[in-house]
Amino acid sequence: DICIYPPDPHVLVGLAPDELFIDPSYTYRLDLHRYRSRSELIRGVFVRTVTALEEMHRINDIYARNGMVTSDPETMWAHHRTRTFTYLVAEDRRTRRVVGTVTGVDHVLAFDDPEGGASLWCLAVDAQDAPPGTGEALVRVLAERYVGRGRAYLDLSVMHDNAGAIALYRKLGFHRVPAVCVKRKN
């Protein structure tokens, strides 16, 4: 349903204009060899790997609250049980409630990426319950996981008008790259 890095996106869309469109998003990249971890922990939040199928349902709740498309929890759980996908959750240290999530895809394991990259998908935070800095903590832990795997970069796609997310990504060292996404129309 999503194609990122097509060499000729206009040609791809032209082959199926009733089914495909060029997504109005920007692509950002974090060069992981330049990434620097934060000197102190973000208070009030603990980021960890998903540990149970039930947490996939909570992830879907957070997606829904943010107007995002939900996924089948069983499929997410099956993907999570491979090293190709990484599902992280942020837990509020006071309530122990899951208040945020992010998904990572290891490009080397997914499609033998010769550039050694990875990507960030579906960053979402429960705005009503999450402590300040939850989104930053999720992105940082994901980036550090891929640094540990020796990956070269972490890419993401963000809607062109999502000023808050773009500000966070820039703060963390992401920069825009000239890649576009082609998506299937829903």
Side-chain angles (χ1 to χ4, degrees), residues 2-114:
I2 299 171
C3 176
I4 190 168
Y5 319 115
D8 296 309
H10 58 292
V11 174
L12 181 60
V13 171
L15 294 172
D18 293 338
E19 293 182 42
L20 304 174
F21 69 99
I22 294 178
D23 183 49
S25 294
Y26 295 135
T27 302
Y28 279 83
R29 174 170 287 177
L30 178 64
D31 296 311
L32 293 175
H33 66 278
R34 293 184 178 165
Y35 173 77
R36 298 295 171 252
S37 60
R38 187 177 160 127
S39 58
E40 71 279 347
L41 291 176
I42 295 172
R43 293 178 177 261
V45 65
F46 175 68
V47 177
R48 61 176 174 76
T49 303
V50 168
T51 59
L53 173 62
E54 296 77 33
E55 290 176 338
M56 296 301 185
H57 293 281
R58 176 66 181 138
I59 288 172
N60 269 337
D61 292 342
I62 294 169
Y63 289 167
R65 283 187 182 201
N66 283 279
M68 298 166 67
V69 176
T70 60
S71 294
D72 175 56
E74 295 283 344
T75 301
M76 291 165 49
W77 183 247
H79 287 163
H80 172 62
R81 304 204 35 100
T82 71
R83 286 184 43 92
T84 303
F85 296 87
T86 301
Y87 288 88
L88 300 177
V89 290
E91 197 176 272
D92 183 319
R93 288 189 183 271
R94 291 175 299 114
T95 64
R96 305 193 74 84
R97 183 168 165 78
V98 171
V99 294
T101 183
V102 69
T103 303
V105 178
D106 187 320
H107 296 181
V108 174
L109 298 177
F111 57 89
D112 201 25
D113 179 13

